[in-house]
Amino acid sequence: MSFITRALYYLRRKTVRNLVTFFLFATVASSLVAVMALSKSMSGKVIEKNNIAQTVTLSASNIFVGDGYGSGELSEKALQEIGHHPDVESFVSSVSSFASLENAKPVPIGTSEGDYRPGNLETVVNVEGISTSEKDNRFTTGMLSLVSGRHITAGDKHKVIVHEDFAKHNQLKVGDQLTLGRDPIRYIGTDKTPIQAEIIGIFKGKTFNRPNYSDELVSNTLLSDTTLASELFGFETGKTLYSEATYTLKKSADTKAFIANIKQTVDTVNWQNYQLTEQNPALKSYNRSIVLLQKTVKRLLIGTIITSAIVLILLLIFNSQSRLRESGVLLALGRSKWDIMAQHILENILLALPAFAVASLLGQMLGQSFANQTVDSVAKTVRADILKQLGGYSLGADSQTDLIMQTVKHFQVQFTPRELSQMLVVCAGLIVVGILIASIPLMSYKPKDILTKIS
């Protein structure tokens, strides 16, 4: 009788034991494919999206820059001068303003204390002008996401995107018009004619910190083109002062050399109040969460492979030891040791194949579960460290300030044939190694010694 026939007979006779082996194979294989898919998705999605592009942020070096309401001191000339540097591929600028709503109402915060605003401030909302809203940090970190319409792009004029809560509260949709009164707090112009702005998009999202006032609500923040925000503030054409700019550099650029060169050659920026940084200070926690996710996923991958190896090897050793008598009889009947090992390998492969099929079905779901738990754990760790560093100091809950608390919230685990093939190779290798280790007694004893040992 060939080892193939013996393997098939054994699988039919030992149903319970084989079911246990199949279950363990399926569990190990599912875990392996899950962490492999997780590791691949982590490096391929999150890291590619946020770390490959070289960016330099021009931002205030302290909170007292401007008028205390978020305005800036960066001139258009300064931004353009840096933007024309040969190492710059593109840049995003932002300008801040307030506006009073003429034909809409702010979303209430839910408490009478927070909703109270004296006089003409009851209808005030934030208007944040962004040259390209899709590249705004709040969207790239996942704090906000577009649900309908389109983003603000360069060249737009009198366009806004609004929060879904604001749209629902005022029964607004894409294409509707908002009438915005000029900045009631710091307007510096003379023309007080309200401005008509078209809603071109609706976004969703929320901040981590709980707001105390209605104007801190991200729901009451309008994202606009820079022209609209500038006109609401009262800046004359060409004299807008910006609060921040982010420059995307060409891949060939040396970031440190670029920063040093700009500081030496550009004298239109007050370098006592502003700084150029490789990493946006507001995104420190977000980038730290990426690094921590990388380390956690790497440890999870290594730990899963080691645990899987131990479980499989112990299982195969147990199965082999329990069949020493059977092996001794086969050796006494003239079967070679390699023939017996081939039978054991074939039996386990026939059990592993359907287990691999189960793993291919469960792997992505299990991997996504691992990803969600890892993201939550990392977020809690990073935010706890931030709160500890603040020493009890309370941050504002507006969306720009709340960027300090942002971490990676989610990434989608993608299961590909590559992860399945890697899992097949790893599992097959572990099975072969396990059987070789389990067969050491079989290879070292003679048939008589085996039968005597177990009699």
Side-chain angles (χ1 to χ4, degrees), residues 6-315:
R6 295 198 311 273
L8 294 174
Y9 272 119
Y10 180 82
L11 292 176
R12 189 175 65 181
R13 287 187 295 110
K14 302 293 184 178
T15 306
V16 175
R17 175 178 291 183
N18 292 327
L19 283 175
V20 172
T21 302
F22 165 79
F23 174 77
L24 288 174
F25 279 172
T27 301
V28 168
S30 296
S31 300
L32 284 172
V33 74
V35 296
M36 287 177 180
L38 174 63
S39 178
K40 177 66 177 179
S41 299
M42 178 68 210
S43 59
K45 300 297 180 183
V46 175
I47 303 307
E48 178 182 354
K49 178 179 178 182
N50 297 288
N51 284 4
I52 286 183
Q54 296 187 78
T55 60
V56 172
T57 299
L58 178 60
S59 60
S61 55
N62 63 74
I63 62 175
F64 300 107
V65 173
D67 60 7
Y69 289 98
S71 67
E73 298 177 348
L74 298 170
S75 67
E76 290 189 15
K77 181 181 178 180
L79 298 189
Q80 293 293 339
E81 186 176 356
I82 299 173
H84 288 149
H85 191 283
D87 284 341
V88 174
E89 191 172 89
S90 63
F91 72 93
V92 178
S93 56
S94 60
V95 57
S96 131
S97 180
F98 292 105
S100 57
L101 298 170
E102 303 281 330
N103 62 342
K105 295 181 179 180
V107 177
I109 196 172
T111 62
S112 57
E113 296 87 353
D115 290 338
Y116 173 73
R117 281 294 179 272
N120 65 342
L121 299 185
E122 292 179 352
T123 60
V124 170
V125 293
N126 291 313
V127 180
E128 298 181 13
I130 309 165
S131 57
T132 309
S133 62
E134 186 176 15
K135 295 183 179 180
D136 183 86
N137 291 327
R138 287 163 292 186
F139 284 98
T140 58
T141 60
M143 176 197 287
L144 307 179
S145 60
L146 194 70
V147 294
S148 65
R150 68 172 178 86
H151 276 284
I152 300 290
T153 58
D156 279 336
K157 185 175 182 180
H158 296 176
K159 310 292 185 185
V160 294
I161 56 178
V162 302
H163 195 277
E164 60 181 358
D165 292 344
F166 181 86
K168 183 178 180 181
H169 183 65
N170 292 286
Q171 298 183 341
L172 298 170
K173 61 183 184 300
V174 174
D176 287 346
Q177 298 284 326
L178 278 177
T179 304
L180 303 176
R182 308 295 177 123
D183 192 324
I185 299 175
R186 53 187 183 176
Y187 184 60
I188 60 175
T190 56
D191 183 2
K192 297 187 178 181
T193 305
I195 301 175
Q196 294 290 321
E198 180 190 359
I199 298 174
I200 62 170
I202 296 175
F203 63 89
K204 66 178 181 179
K206 61 181 180 179
T207 55
F208 175 77
N209 288 312
R210 182 182 180 277
N212 295 311
Y213 302 100
S214 61
D215 59 6
E216 285 186 319
L217 276 175
V218 68
S219 307
N220 292 325
T221 297
L222 310 184
L223 304 180
S224 77
D225 56 85
T226 54
T227 299
L228 175 58
S230 178
E231 290 181 7
L232 288 170
F233 193 98
F235 290 118
E236 295 180 14
T237 303
K239 295 184 178 181
T240 301
L241 295 180
Y242 295 81
S243 55
E244 186 177 276
T246 298
Y247 295 86
T248 300
L249 306 185
K250 296 176 181 178
K251 291 184 178 179
S252 59
D254 184 322
T255 305
K256 288 184 172 58
F258 171 80
I259 292 175
N261 179 260
I262 293 299
K263 288 183 176 180
Q264 290 176 358
T265 59
V266 176
D267 58 7
T268 48
V269 174
N270 183 346
W271 294 113
Q272 291 185 335
N273 291 340
Y274 278 84
Q275 60 183 345
L276 274 172
T277 54
E278 292 184 61
Q279 182 186 84
N280 190 317
L283 299 182
K284 183 177 180 181
S285 59
Y286 185 81
N287 289 321
R288 184 176 171 232
S289 72
I290 292 178
V291 174
L292 193 54
L293 275 172
Q294 286 179 304
K295 293 180 179 179
T296 303
V297 170
K298 184 177 181 179
R299 288 196 296 266
L300 181 62
L301 177 63
I302 295 173
T304 301
I305 291 176
I306 293 174
T307 302
S308 298
I310 293 173
V311 169
L312 284 179
I313 290 173
L314 289 177
L315 172 67

Side-chain angles (χ1 to χ4, degrees), residues 400-415:
Q400 286 288 11
T401 304
D402 201 75
L403 274 170
I404 296 174
M405 299 297 290
Q406 295 305 308
T407 61
V408 175
K409 298 174 183 61
H410 174 81
F411 66 91
Q412 187 66 38
V413 172
Q414 299 293 332
F415 176 72

Side-chain angles (χ1 to χ4, degrees), residues 364-380:
Q364 182 166 345
M365 182 174 64
L366 188 59
Q368 191 62 59
S369 177
F370 287 167
N372 295 340
Q373 293 177 29
T374 304
V375 166
D376 290 343
S377 175
V378 166
K380 290 178 181 177

